[in-house]
Short mmCIF file of all heavy atoms in Angstrom, two decimals:
data_model
loop_
_atom_site.label_atom_id
_atom_site.label_comp_id
_atom_site.label_asym_id
_atom_site.label_seq_id
_atom_site.Cartn_x
_atom_site.Cartn_y
_atom_site.Cartn_z
N HIS A 367 -24.56 -28.61 125.04
CA HIS A 367 -24.82 -29.97 124.54
C HIS A 367 -25.86 -30.67 125.41
O HIS A 367 -26.70 -31.40 124.89
CB HIS A 367 -23.52 -30.79 124.51
CG HIS A 367 -22.69 -30.54 123.29
ND1 HIS A 367 -23.09 -30.92 122.03
CD2 HIS A 367 -21.48 -29.96 123.15
CE1 HIS A 367 -22.16 -30.58 121.15
NE2 HIS A 367 -21.18 -29.98 121.81
N GLU A 368 -25.81 -30.45 126.71
CA GLU A 368 -26.79 -31.06 127.61
C GLU A 368 -28.19 -30.51 127.33
O GLU A 368 -29.17 -31.26 127.31
CB GLU A 368 -26.39 -30.83 129.07
CG GLU A 368 -27.34 -31.43 130.07
CD GLU A 368 -27.51 -32.94 129.94
OE1 GLU A 368 -26.58 -33.63 129.51
OE2 GLU A 368 -28.61 -33.43 130.28
N ALA A 369 -28.29 -29.21 127.12
CA ALA A 369 -29.60 -28.61 126.80
C ALA A 369 -30.11 -29.15 125.47
O ALA A 369 -31.31 -29.43 125.33
CB ALA A 369 -29.48 -27.08 126.75
N LEU A 370 -29.23 -29.32 124.51
CA LEU A 370 -29.61 -29.85 123.21
C LEU A 370 -30.09 -31.30 123.34
O LEU A 370 -31.08 -31.69 122.74
CB LEU A 370 -28.43 -29.76 122.24
CG LEU A 370 -28.69 -30.11 120.79
CD1 LEU A 370 -29.73 -29.18 120.18
CD2 LEU A 370 -27.39 -30.06 120.00
N ARG A 371 -29.39 -32.09 124.15
CA ARG A 371 -29.79 -33.48 124.37
C ARG A 371 -31.18 -33.55 124.99
O ARG A 371 -32.03 -34.33 124.56
CB ARG A 371 -28.79 -34.20 125.29
CG ARG A 371 -29.09 -35.68 125.45
CD ARG A 371 -28.43 -36.29 126.68
NE ARG A 371 -28.77 -35.63 127.92
CZ ARG A 371 -29.96 -35.71 128.55
NH1 ARG A 371 -30.93 -36.40 128.03
NH2 ARG A 371 -30.17 -35.09 129.69
N ALA A 372 -31.45 -32.71 125.97
CA ALA A 372 -32.77 -32.68 126.60
C ALA A 372 -33.84 -32.28 125.60
O ALA A 372 -34.94 -32.84 125.58
CB ALA A 372 -32.76 -31.72 127.80
N ALA A 373 -33.53 -31.32 124.74
CA ALA A 373 -34.49 -30.89 123.72
C ALA A 373 -34.76 -32.02 122.73
O ALA A 373 -35.90 -32.26 122.33
CB ALA A 373 -33.97 -29.66 122.99
N PHE A 374 -33.71 -32.75 122.34
CA PHE A 374 -33.90 -33.87 121.41
C PHE A 374 -34.78 -34.95 122.03
O PHE A 374 -35.58 -35.57 121.33
CB PHE A 374 -32.56 -34.47 120.99
CG PHE A 374 -31.86 -33.70 119.89
CD1 PHE A 374 -30.49 -33.62 119.88
CD2 PHE A 374 -32.57 -33.07 118.88
CE1 PHE A 374 -29.82 -32.93 118.88
CE2 PHE A 374 -31.93 -32.38 117.87
CZ PHE A 374 -30.55 -32.31 117.87
N GLU A 375 -34.65 -35.18 123.32
CA GLU A 375 -35.51 -36.17 123.98
C GLU A 375 -36.97 -35.72 123.92
O GLU A 375 -37.87 -36.53 123.68
CB GLU A 375 -35.06 -36.39 125.41
CG GLU A 375 -33.77 -37.19 125.52
CD GLU A 375 -33.29 -37.34 126.94
OE1 GLU A 375 -33.99 -36.96 127.90
OE2 GLU A 375 -32.16 -37.88 127.11
N ALA A 376 -37.21 -34.43 124.14
CA ALA A 376 -38.57 -33.91 124.05
C ALA A 376 -39.10 -34.04 122.63
O ALA A 376 -40.27 -34.40 122.42
CB ALA A 376 -38.60 -32.45 124.51
N VAL A 377 -38.25 -33.77 121.64
CA VAL A 377 -38.66 -33.90 120.24
C VAL A 377 -38.99 -35.37 119.94
O VAL A 377 -39.98 -35.66 119.26
CB VAL A 377 -37.56 -33.37 119.29
CG1 VAL A 377 -37.84 -33.76 117.84
CG2 VAL A 377 -37.44 -31.86 119.42
N GLU A 378 -38.19 -36.29 120.44
CA GLU A 378 -38.46 -37.72 120.22
C GLU A 378 -39.81 -38.12 120.80
O GLU A 378 -40.54 -38.92 120.19
CB GLU A 378 -37.34 -38.57 120.81
CG GLU A 378 -36.06 -38.51 120.01
CD GLU A 378 -34.90 -39.24 120.68
OE1 GLU A 378 -35.13 -40.00 121.65
OE2 GLU A 378 -33.77 -39.06 120.23
N ASP A 379 -40.17 -37.57 121.95
CA ASP A 379 -41.48 -37.85 122.54
C ASP A 379 -42.61 -37.36 121.64
O ASP A 379 -43.61 -38.04 121.44
CB ASP A 379 -41.62 -37.19 123.92
CG ASP A 379 -40.78 -37.86 124.99
OD1 ASP A 379 -40.27 -38.98 124.75
OD2 ASP A 379 -40.65 -37.25 126.08
N VAL A 380 -42.45 -36.15 121.09
CA VAL A 380 -43.47 -35.60 120.21
C VAL A 380 -43.52 -36.40 118.91
O VAL A 380 -44.61 -36.68 118.39
CB VAL A 380 -43.21 -34.10 119.96
CG1 VAL A 380 -44.07 -33.56 118.84
CG2 VAL A 380 -43.46 -33.30 121.24
#
Side-chain angles (χ1 to χ4, degrees):
H367 278 292
E368 180 59 30
L370 188 61
R371 185 200 56 73
F374 279 145
E375 287 177 7
V377 168
E378 287 174 12
D379 288 348
V380 169

